[in-house]
Amino acid sequence: MRTYLLPLLKAFVSLVFLAWIARALDPESIASTFRDASLGWLLLAALCISVQIFVMSWRWQAISSRIGIYLPWREATLWMYVGQFLNGALPTSIGGDAFRVWLMHNAGADLAAAVRSVLIERVSGVVVLGIMVSLAVPWIWSISSSKNIATGLAFTGPVLFGLTVLLAKGVAVIPAFLETRFGRYLSPLSAKGAKKVLSVQIICLAFMASTFGFAGAYFICLGVGIQISFPATIALVGGAVLISVLPISFGGWGVREAGMVALMGNTGIDPSKAVSMSLLWGVLPLALSLPVFVWWIASGEGKNGERLRLSVR
């Protein structure tokens, strides 16, 4: 029973937020926004999101290589698509990340090393996302009705970076902990481990992946009639995405929409359009990764770990 309790609670939270949005806003207005959405802008958004997934795969491959795992380009891309689908379809927004760890381990990688590669890929992406949000705040400052919200977004990057540094320092001062089974997973997040794994290439790939993702969000905004600058998109959409990362809902659904309404509404954007943008932002990655996931299951690629053996040094 306890196994199903947490997913049910997260689904309940998502439904509560979505019900609140549906009650507070005009469903017909949201439906009208969907009907009038520009297909051309949405196709450009889909293209950007697809490129983002490829860049994320490239970053994951580079991180794995520095840890000592040779992850082929084909598997890195395929497993990233599968992970993206599961992140949006499972109760937790990191379910796909856990599945990528399992795939690597099933293909011969040490479990601790597999956890490290996915953990660093995830953490580096979130920190870079926060930094980009903070850098973009000046573009929404003058149009923000609540300076407290804008100030909070401005501190997002420094806070995430500071927490990561504190974690690195904390891990470094408790070397005995790193000898434990769980501690081995966190060792690359120590100052020494991060210096060994992170590189200019990986940091640049993290910025590149986020930039393509924000480009997709920008085109979705234009597609639903939201007139907004690209930097403002980074600040507002990035802030909502960071809120949805909190493990309190089903794949971020509901929380992301509420965050988008709050942040975009703070700059005078129609809440109905903000919800439409958020729903499309959540649906597009699922729609793009679903065919790959279905093919992966139908073709037997899910059993690749039985014959694919990753090269580990």
Side-chain angles (χ1 to χ4, degrees), residues 105 110-113 115-116 175-187:
H105 181 56
D110 176 69
L111 180 58
V115 171
R116 291 170 189 171
F177 173 72
L178 299 181
E179 300 300 322
T180 66
R181 184 175 180 180
F182 180 73
R184 290 189 303 145
Y185 302 153
L186 295 181
S187 61

Side-chain angles (χ1 to χ4, degrees), residues 78-79 99 102-103 106 295-307:
L78 179 60
W79 294 351
F99 199 70
W102 179 84
L103 287 170
N106 195 43
W295 174 83
W296 181 75
I297 295 295
S299 65
E301 283 285 326
K303 299 180 180 179
N304 241 5
E306 297 176 2
R307 59 181 184 274

Side-chain angles (χ1 to χ4, degrees), residues 25 40 83 127 239 293:
L25 303 180
V127 173
F293 179 77

Side-chain angles (χ1 to χ4, degrees), residues 39-281:
L39 180 60
W41 287 124
L42 296 185
L43 288 175
L44 279 175
L47 177 61
C48 289
I49 293 172
S50 296
V51 174
Q52 179 193 28
I53 295 176
F54 277 108
V55 176
M56 290 167 64
S57 304
W58 184 5
R59 183 181 66 194
W60 183 30
Q61 184 187 41
I63 291 171
S64 299
S65 177
R66 296 180 73 87
I67 288 177
I69 304 172
Y70 173 69
L71 182 61
W73 171 253
R74 178 181 181 276
E75 275 63 39
T77 306
L78 179 60
W79 294 351
M80 182 62 76
Y81 266 97
V82 172
Q84 287 295 104
F85 175 78
L86 294 176
N87 276 344
L90 293 179
T92 172
S93 58
I94 61 172
D97 299 326
F99 199 70
R100 283 193 287 145
V101 169
W102 179 84
L103 287 170
M104 292 187 76
H105 181 56
N106 195 43
D110 176 69
L111 180 58
V115 171
R116 291 170 189 171
S117 72
V118 174
L119 185 62
I120 293 173
E121 188 271 328
R122 183 73 161 180
V123 170
S124 63
V126 170
V127 173
V128 165
L129 178 65
I131 291 173
M132 293 182 70
V133 168
S134 295
L135 293 176
V137 165
W139 278 267
I140 67 167
W141 189 265
S142 62
I143 58 175
S144 177
S145 60
S146 172
K147 302 305 180 186
N148 290 334
I149 292 179
T151 301
L153 291 176
F155 278 100
T156 299
V159 168
L160 287 175
F161 181 77
L163 289 175
T164 305
V165 171
L166 286 176
L167 176 60
K169 295 293 185 182
V171 170
V173 299
I174 47 175
F177 173 72
L178 299 181
E179 300 300 322
T180 66
R181 184 175 180 180
F182 180 73
R184 290 189 303 145
Y185 302 153
L186 295 181
S187 61
L189 294 182
S190 67
K192 182 179 179 181
K195 185 177 180 180
K196 177 182 176 182
V197 176
L198 295 180
S199 66
V200 173
Q201 177 197 23
I202 291 172
I203 294 173
C204 288
L205 288 174
F207 276 100
M208 189 185 303
S210 292
T211 299
F212 275 109
F214 285 129
Y218 175 65
F219 290 136
I220 293 176
C221 287
L222 295 181
V224 299
I226 297 175
Q227 299 303 314
I228 190 174
S229 68
F230 182 64
T233 301
I234 294 176
L236 300 176
V237 175
V241 169
L242 288 172
I243 293 173
S244 69
V245 171
L246 296 174
I248 60 173
S249 63
F250 194 104
W253 294 96
V255 174
R256 180 182 57 245
E257 283 67 43
M260 207 77 76
V261 169
L263 294 178
M264 288 192 167
N266 184 53
T267 60
I269 294 174
D270 182 358
S272 297
K273 291 184 177 181
V275 170
S276 300
M277 184 277 158
S278 184
L279 291 174
L280 286 169
W281 176 249

